Amino acid sequence: MQNELAGKLMLLRPQRAYAIPYYTLDGNDTEYLISNPNNQVTQITLVIFGLKCEIVKREEITLKPNCTQTVRLRSIVAENAGQAILVSSLEIITHILYLSEKSVAVTGGELAGSNNLFSWSRREQSRTYGFGYRAKAILGDSVMGSVFVSNPHQTAITGSIVFYNQKCSPTKPKRITIKPGCTVEYKFPKESYGYGRIQVSNQAVINVLHFTGHSKAVAAAELLDESNKLTVPSIDPKPKSKILFDDTHSCRPGATNDWTDYEKALTNVGFSVAHYTASVVTLVALKKYDVFVIVTPRLSYTSAEKKAISDFVNQGGGLLIVQDFGNAPWSVPTREILNYFGANDDNNIIDDPTNNMGNGQIDDVIFDYQRNFFGHPITDGWKSFHVDAATSLFGKGWDDIVETDDDSNPSRRPVLIARSFGEGRIVAFGDSNTWANHLIGNLENEKFGIRCAEWLLFRI
């Protein structure tokens, strides 16, 4: 039933969907106030997940204009912390109230809004959220709390959570694995206060609840959403060293053998380099290495291969994606990999009439720290590099690291972008010639390539 519903919800993606929590443990109750602010009738589907991560109730609600429907959760699923999904044909207002069952008093509340809109995607996109917490007595009463993480997807959510206390000391990071439909509780560290970071491999319902020690009733509630995202991963792993170049899918290093000087530069600074030659890219094979390098493939990766690469990065691996100028045999296959991680190229060739190598080719663009670099570990400590017929890039959720200048075509457009993804990192670059044998010795191209590798390996 759950998979069938999820499949139907995929078809309803043009509609609005809200994934929201409830809490009915220790005599508490939760009420949903679902309101229709529109001037026409709104159709709503409410799906509630229960104790065993299964759907316990599905209700069809018809709301007239300006009307409100109340739903009490304890009568449906008592003594549980879980999730529900609201699918609406129009925009709705959803207020979540927490009640004390014994006194029928409101103890906390939160409002689900546009930031809590949920989308079902076949592509994993990780997030890291930050939140404050207190589990140390205040105003004469003890206080405690928990983070409740719910998974509305068809596949498991993975990740980690770590708390930093009032002494700036972290707890031991705890791994997160949540099966479809399930909710897992992560308690605050006792006798402490501070902040927490939680990383999840896909969009989740994350509810931060504080309780009074005397009554165990909900005292405060916060539903984490996209406005609470952090740009840093939850765990900084130990430095790594093993780099794997993809020679399958007609990638440039294997097809032309002209990236050998870059490989030598990497080994000279202590990294190991290997080449992937198997017919299919698998997670099992990738996990033996720390960074996977994809350079202008001319053959597309399958959905299963993309999922393996995504899982590899989510679990702490690094990924270097290198595109080149547009409308070429590699453009679409490389673009598909970029798209899978929320990025794209502009399908163009960057020109700069004033800052180039001076050989009459305005697409041999020079980038330097004064005009083009953003503050980032990759750009720290070196001054310039150049490209040969590069494309510009962009990505939602990505950081711009190097961009074109004001008189370039296009102007102020990124050529190097990077992001954290789950517990791993990704770098995307718009030129495969910069690190090829005939250009890597120019300016500081070699140092540039090493810095990208160092960041992906968590060495800087």
Side-chain angles (χ1 to χ4, degrees), residues 33-262:
L33 294 176
I34 307 167
S35 305
N36 176 16
N38 303 283
N39 58 7
Q40 56 186 296
V41 173
T42 301
Q43 301 297 327
I44 298 169
T45 299
L46 172 63
V47 179
I48 300 171
F49 291 83
L51 292 164
K52 298 180 180 180
C53 311
E54 84 288 10
I55 296 171
V56 295
K57 185 170 184 179
R58 172 174 174 163
E59 183 176 349
E60 302 295 335
I61 300 171
T62 300
L63 272 183
K64 295 179 180 179
N66 303 316
C67 288
T68 298
Q69 174 80 36
T70 175
V71 179
R72 292 278 291 273
L73 275 295
R74 187 171 179 81
S75 61
I76 301 171
V77 189
E79 299 302 322
N80 190 46
Q83 63 177 317
I85 297 172
L86 283 167
V87 180
S88 172
S89 57
L90 297 172
E91 184 178 6
I92 58 176
I93 299 171
T94 305
H95 204 119
I96 307 165
L97 292 179
Y98 297 96
L99 314 174
S100 173
E101 180 70 6
K102 294 181 180 179
S103 61
V104 198
V106 175
T107 59
E110 51 197 337
L111 188 64
S114 59
N115 281 332
N116 303 112
L117 283 172
F118 189 84
S119 61
W120 284 267
S121 174
R122 303 187 189 278
R123 182 183 312 154
E124 293 204 3
Q125 295 183 7
S126 64
R127 299 153 170 78
T128 298
Y129 298 100
F131 59 91
Y133 78 93
R134 172 174 281 276
K136 188 175 177 62
I138 186 173
L139 301 178
D141 192 7
S142 62
V143 63
M144 62 194 72
S146 297
V147 180
F148 294 88
V149 186
S150 303
N151 178 9
H153 297 276
Q154 297 181 64
T155 57
I157 285 178
T158 59
S160 62
I161 185 169
V162 61
F163 294 90
Y164 293 80
N165 63 22
Q166 64 269 33
K167 298 180 180 179
C168 314
S169 300
T171 60
K172 182 179 180 180
K174 181 174 291 186
R175 297 289 179 181
I176 289 174
T177 301
I178 305 172
K179 296 179 181 179
C182 290
T183 297
V184 178
E185 177 182 7
Y186 301 93
K187 293 184 177 181
F188 301 161
K190 294 181 179 179
E191 295 300 316
S192 70
Y193 60 87
Y195 81 97
R197 293 195 299 179
I198 181 169
Q199 174 267 318
V200 285
S201 59
N202 211 338
Q203 186 177 4
V205 185
I206 304 176
N207 202 19
V208 180
L209 296 181
H210 284 80
F211 310 100
T212 57
H214 174 69
S215 64
K216 294 185 179 180
V218 176
E222 182 179 11
L223 188 58
L224 299 189
D225 56 42
E226 301 307 279
S227 65
N228 304 114
K229 284 199 304 187
L230 299 174
T231 58
V232 293
S234 57
I235 300 175
D236 291 333
K238 294 180 180 179
K240 305 174 182 182
S241 62
K242 295 185 290 186
I243 300 173
L244 180 66
F245 285 83
D246 190 11
D247 282 358
T248 69
H249 300 79
S250 294
C251 284
R252 178 167 182 167
T256 63
N257 200 36
D258 68 345
W259 267 45
T260 54
D261 286 349
Y262 182 40

Side-chain angles (χ1 to χ4, degrees), residues 125 226 229 341-344 394-400 417 419:
Q125 295 183 7
E226 301 307 279
K229 284 199 304 187
F341 293 98
N344 208 340
F394 64 94
K396 183 178 181 180
W398 290 68
D399 295 324
D400 297 344
I417 56 178
R419 67 169 296 183

